[in-house]
Amino acid sequence: RGKALQPLFKISYSCSKAGDPRPGHPYKGGNFCAFLPNNKEGLKTAKLLKKAFECGLTFQIKSCNGEERITWGLIPHKTSWDGGKARNGYPDAQYLHEVSTVL
């Protein structure tokens, strides 16, 4: 596999804002990890994912069992090296092309 890029996002507790499901209510954060191959296309994708994060497009707030919490947004992320596409992992030959198209 070689060395891999592993972006890590740490989202703390905070209050939701206008446009979120329940503005002004607190939400639960978490640690989110995603994997990219350490090659030219992976590095290009990492830059695009960074821009998406800075624009607030990476995560969303969802209501789950009466609790607001942060979840992945609509941009697909690989959260495992294994398991294939069905488990958000590799191998998935089309992933970098698909995520670049979304971004």
Side-chain angles (χ1 to χ4, degrees):
R1 275 183 214 170
K3 292 193 175 185
L5 300 175
Q6 180 180 345
L8 176 66
F9 304 96
K10 291 185 181 189
I11 311 293
S12 60
Y13 289 84
S14 190
C15 278
S16 53
K17 59 188 182 313
D20 290 331
R22 294 177 56 200
H25 285 78
Y27 61 83
K28 188 175 186 177
N31 294 331
F32 298 84
C33 199
F35 300 91
L36 293 168
N38 190 11
N39 58 29
K40 185 178 178 181
E41 198 173 358
L43 292 169
K44 178 182 170 188
T45 302
K47 289 178 184 176
L48 293 173
L49 288 170
K50 182 177 186 250
K51 280 187 182 181
F53 178 77
E54 291 168 350
C55 292
L57 302 173
T58 304
F59 298 98
Q60 60 188 356
I61 299 173
K62 283 194 175 175
S63 200
C64 181
N65 298 324
E67 180 180 65
E68 306 298 315
R69 62 179 49 232
I70 293 287
T71 63
W72 289 108
L74 299 176
I75 299 169
H77 286 77
K78 289 298 180 186
T79 56
S80 173
W81 277 119
D82 309 302
K85 188 173 186 168
R87 295 182 184 231
N88 294 324
Y90 294 96
D92 182 352
Q94 295 301 310
Y95 172 68
L96 293 174
H97 174 74
E98 289 172 2
V99 74
S100 292
T101 300
V102 170
L103 293 167

